[in-house]
Amino acid sequence: MAAFAAVLGAASAVAAPAQSPSSATAVTVQRYALEPLASAAYYQITLNDAIYAASRRGDLSDLRILNSAGEPVPHSFDNAIAAARPATLRPVRWFPLPATGDQNTADSGLNVTIGPDGALRAASRPPAAATRAGDIIDLGANGAPLTALLIHLQDKSWQGRVNISVSADLREWTPVIQAPLLKTGSGDATLAQERVELDGLRARYVRLRWPDGTPTLAGIDAESVPVDATPPTRAWRGGIATQAGASAGEYLFDTGGAYPVDRVQFELPQANTVARGQLYSRADAQAPWRMVAEGQLLRLQAAPVSSPDIGGSDTPQVNMSTGEQRNPPWAVQPDTDRHWRLTVDTRSGGLGSGLPTVDLGWRPTVITFVARGAGPFVLAVGNPNWEPAAVPLADLMAADAGVPQQARIGRQLAPMPAAVAARTDDPGARRRYVLWTVLIAAVAVLGCMAWRLFRAPPHA
């Protein structure tokens, strides 16, 4: 019996280290149907909010595409978090528009001539400041997608809005966005908001209208990125609540998922608020905070506009029911941290009473996978035991594969059974099974030996 106990203890000691900490507790792996799938070799899907919320890893390594046999198939993250591409700034010329003439016609009152290549040239003296209604920018025929316009105000103090429209022929104009601009100073300090986010806009001509009075411009810079770096449309998740931190002017919030956040918009609790803030993030409560952005926070009351010349945008920067102006979203490097902190300078009162809410924007990840095996195919996400399995797109796609078929994430299925989640794609599972099999066999052998010794007659 002493030998039996010794062997049992030794076998347990061997098998116990093979268990990983995460395998000791059950995990919930969510599953989603992929549809519609026909007979193509390659498919693409775009991840939605539910997938990021279910993921436990910032790099989405806990995600698999499974066929009907439960086998993982090769996949690639086409638009996963990538290195930032440098943006370039270039000054652009603008041409003043007189207040006369129909705003929606091409040439009446433009005071410019149009060359054979479509380039604009000044045709006469510019209109007086009192009669200037707007400005037109010629970006050229082969301009790169615009990420922003930097409109530099010459006035020492100015606050208002700019309505931006675009056109390919100077005849038909498409509204794009209405954004706030601000410049004010106190002593040697200047507070300015001169950036208008355009999010990869492509256009030949850009028109600026000034509903709150025409400012004097010191210059306009166009910010652009390389054509092959133009990202897909940004997704948004709004209304995230914050809670007050331990210090005055500190606000904390949790994103609720592994979202690759690259824009953060704050909805301030009180109108007529101007303050500076800093934004921090961290992966968990034990990690140190790191600063990811800083800038101005604005919520300014203005007169409502009866006929706004605006169009769609990532997020509203002007509340048209109240005429309130807000700062553009803060840009951050793609960040999958869940824990965030906003600190606000309280020397001028900070944000006042109440708590801000947060809107988060990100570029959705696009997954390409090979439809190996029989369908239906499902997306499974949330198993921390899985190791990274995505491969580069160049290694996944054959040279003459063509364009992948588009699919979508459909209905949510029942979670993956715990036993399946514990063994699927777990590199330590086979070793544990072998060790436990050896342990059980050893116990059986020792039990048989003990039974035979117990039944044997005693020796004289």
Side-chain angles (χ1 to χ4, degrees), residues 456-460:
H459 295 284

Side-chain angles (χ1 to χ4, degrees), residues 22 25-32 50-51 54-56 61-66 378-386 412-424:
S22 57
T25 58
V27 297
T28 300
V29 179
Q30 302 294 346
R31 297 189 302 172
Y32 298 85
I51 306 304
S55 176
R56 299 167 182 260
S61 60
D62 60 345
L63 181 149
R64 294 290 185 272
I65 307 295
L66 307 175
V378 300
L379 184 152
V381 61
N383 192 338
N385 295 323
W386 287 341
Q412 184 173 0
L413 306 174
M416 180 179 288
V420 177
R423 70 171 185 266
T424 303

Side-chain angles (χ1 to χ4, degrees), residues 2 9 26 39 50 150 166 211 257 259 261 275 289 312 335 407 422 448:
S39 58
L150 280 69
V166 297
Y259 303 96
V261 174
W289 291 108
D335 190 333
C448 182

